[in-house]
Amino acid sequence: MTAALRPPCASGMFHNIECGPPVTSPSPPTENLGFPMLRGANVAGFYSSRRSLVLHCGRSDSLKRIKVKENTGNWFKPIKAIVDSDSSWTEERGAALSGTNLRQMSNVGKSTNILWHACPIQKQDREQLLQQKGCVIWLTGLSGSGKSTIACALSRSLHSRGKLTYILDGDNLRHGLNQDLSFKAEDRSENIRRIGEVAKLFADAGVICITSLISPYRKDRDACRALLPKGDFIEVFIDAPLHVCEARDPKGLYKLARAGKIKGFTGIDDPYEPPCSCEIVLQQKGSDCKSPSDMAEIVISYLEENGYLGA
């Protein structure tokens, strides 16, 4: 059986549902809504007038009419909120959400009224899952010293050992995150600050994060070190002299800098400040130029000796 659909009554709200006897008289013209089953019942459709709404629900043995009267005043009964005694919310959390615990709010830089939200899954839990310790391996040195090549060799070797790594390469990040920054001193500092913050997140995730950056200024590198817990920042100085890097000149940048076509180029007309107390030094002087794989193994030996490759 089908039913015609008409506009609901003026109030649009109904109460008091009455179930009548099986329908025996012909129903008004109907429209099939196309819903053949609803929890085992064959739904033929429904029709309404200004004073009532009739829903026809039929099973194979009978067809009954449900009459819904128009609301006359009381729409719904009040709903009483019940406190769940098993809830994990504490008074402190509730206070933070309601804004009553304003002492936890912070102002950081230009960000005001912000609140740190802690998660029950901590760094140690992620490290246990990955069976490694999250840290930042910060490769620094002149352009052409081999930072990116060593970073890839290191990542490949750790990957073969079943360790999760990620490389933050300076040029790669300037394609996206830092594309709005130039190579002026202030922008270079901001470039390093942003990468330091991203590297910190990777380390907190339990990942061995490898950064490959000239990062010429000592104060900027030290600021990134200060972002992480003690021991989680491993500074690796690729100690290749300027004449070696300039002879390699893989990007042709030294030639452009010498010709005056690039200003503020590190090692030519902008200084590089070597680390004073880095964890690892990889020297490339004269005939003592190890392969990228050999230098990667030196870093891996440091990680093994200091317990980074296990949880």
Side-chain angles (χ1 to χ4, degrees), residues 88-152:
S88 61
W89 289 98
T90 63
E91 293 182 1
E92 290 80 4
R93 289 171 177 168
L97 288 178
S98 64
T100 59
N101 197 356
L102 296 180
R103 63 183 179 82
Q104 296 183 10
M105 304 298 281
S106 302
N107 297 330
V108 181
K110 296 181 180 180
S111 298
T112 60
N113 301 319
I114 56 176
L115 180 67
W116 184 269
H117 187 83
C119 177
I121 303 300
Q122 297 296 311
K123 181 184 178 184
Q124 303 93 300
D125 302 305
R126 294 184 283 271
E127 291 177 334
Q128 187 65 33
L129 183 68
L130 296 171
Q131 286 299 296
Q132 64 184 46
K133 290 185 179 178
C135 62
V136 174
I137 302 174
W138 194 279
L139 304 182
T140 178
L142 292 170
S143 176
S145 61
K147 299 179 300 299
S148 296
T149 304
I150 295 171
C152 289

Side-chain angles (χ1 to χ4, degrees), residues 190-232:
E190 174 60 15
N191 177 63
I192 299 305
R193 186 197 71 80
R194 292 183 190 180
I195 296 174
E197 291 285 356
V198 174
K200 173 186 173 182
L201 294 177
F202 272 104
D204 187 62
V207 176
I208 297 174
C209 181
I210 305 167
T211 68
S212 172
L213 310 154
I214 295 175
S215 45
Y217 309 132
R218 193 176 297 120
K219 64 179 179 62
D220 294 335
R221 299 192 303 267
D222 290 343
C224 292
R225 179 187 292 272
L227 291 173
L228 288 98
K230 185 177 181 180
D232 285 1

Side-chain angles (χ1 to χ4, degrees), residues 138-151 169-171 183 188 192 211-218 221 235-254 257-258 264-275 281-285 295:
W138 194 279
L139 304 182
T140 178
L142 292 170
S143 176
S145 61
K147 299 179 300 299
S148 296
T149 304
I150 295 171
D169 184 87
D171 279 7
F183 285 91
R188 298 189 84 160
I192 299 305
T211 68
S212 172
L213 310 154
I214 295 175
S215 45
Y217 309 132
R218 193 176 297 120
R221 299 192 303 267
E235 190 173 18
V236 181
F237 175 36
I238 316 266
D239 187 9
L242 177 61
H243 71 274
V244 172
C245 297
E246 192 168 357
R248 293 173 179 171
D249 200 11
K251 304 174 186 176
L253 300 179
Y254 283 101
R258 292 293 187 187
F265 190 78
T266 302
I268 303 300
D269 56 352
D270 200 64
Y272 176 82
E273 301 172 355
V281 177
L282 300 177
Q283 290 188 337
Q284 301 185 55
K285 295 182 178 180
M295 286 186 282

